[in-house]
Amino acid sequence: MYHNKIINLIPSTITLVSITLSTMIALSACSHIDTCLMSIPTYYILCRLSYFGCNKLAERIVSPFANALGKYVSRKQNEAVEEAISNYQTSIIGSELMVEEVKSQSERIINVPEEDHTQIQPENIIIMEQIKRDECEKLELVLTYTRNIFFHLGFGEGEVTQIVECVRYFVCNKNVLCPDILCIKRRNDVTQASLKNFAWNISRQYSIDGTTTAQFVKYTFKEWFKETDISSIVKTLRNTKGHHAVEINENILKVRA
């Protein structure tokens, strides 16, 4: 995939930049060419050590945020699942009571053999399992689309993980996860229009209303939308004029990554 090719080029790019920097530093620090050539490996090693040190420091900073976000999302998801199960059980009990009441009021004109009733429950189980499989497949396609988009835009692993968890909560609960621990750094080459198009593409698959989608945009990508009202975001969720890194696409589930 495209973003994987970019990721594979990163080590070569870093090496090239390190050699260039070490050469420039050596040329500026040394007056004689012989001394300069001897100093380049030293400066190269210092550049590499500096890069790895900064990289490790960044991982230590981002990892706690990503882990804390994962635990927060899991807790919220468990609460949502328990609530859904409780509501489902309540509806089932209500349906059973209604059926019993109808049966007690009037007798069936046609007597259905008892063995036919035994087929109802297994058929319902099969239907429910198929619906569950379809929903799981749909969710996985949406999350894969999310990962591909933000890796392509140059976001780091920790940031992509946070965005994916926000998307998971958004589409599963049709609500917005807005914890204070989100740490997604703004990039000037990623525009508001692209982020709004991404959110619209996702919400379209689950028929989520514009206001909730705008809230998702504002709270997930808060560094981009600090001074933007939700009402303004709602009015411009679809951006089709001009070229954007993320275009409007109503059929993201039909393209398997």
Side-chain angles (χ1 to χ4, degrees), residues 104-124:
S104 64
Q105 290 178 356
S106 61
E107 295 293 330
R108 297 283 184 180
I109 297 177
I110 300 175
N111 293 322
V112 181
E114 183 66 25
E115 57 271 16
D116 290 346
H117 291 286
T118 61
Q119 300 301 319
I120 297 176
Q121 186 176 1
E123 289 175 1
N124 286 342

Side-chain angles (χ1 to χ4, degrees), residues 92-106 108:
I92 291 297
I93 293 172
S95 299
E96 291 176 351
L97 291 175
M98 185 180 297
V99 171
E100 291 299 327
E101 183 179 354
V102 171
K103 286 183 178 180
S104 64
Q105 290 178 356
S106 61
R108 297 283 184 180

Side-chain angles (χ1 to χ4, degrees), residues 54-76:
C54 292
N55 192 36
K56 291 297 183 182
L57 179 61
E59 288 182 2
R60 289 182 177 274
I61 294 173
V62 173
S63 293
F65 287 106
N67 293 335
L69 177 64
K71 293 178 181 178
Y72 183 84
V73 171
S74 297
R75 179 166 58 84
K76 287 292 184 180

Side-chain angles (χ1 to χ4, degrees), residues 12 14 35 41 50 56 61 79 97 100 103 110 120 127 133 137 213 215 254:
S12 300
I14 293 171
T35 307
S50 176
K56 291 297 183 182
I61 294 173
E79 292 175 358
L97 291 175
E100 291 299 327
K103 286 183 178 180
I110 300 175
I120 297 176
I127 293 172
R133 284 195 296 269
E137 181 180 3
T213 303
Q215 291 172 344
K254 295 183 179 180

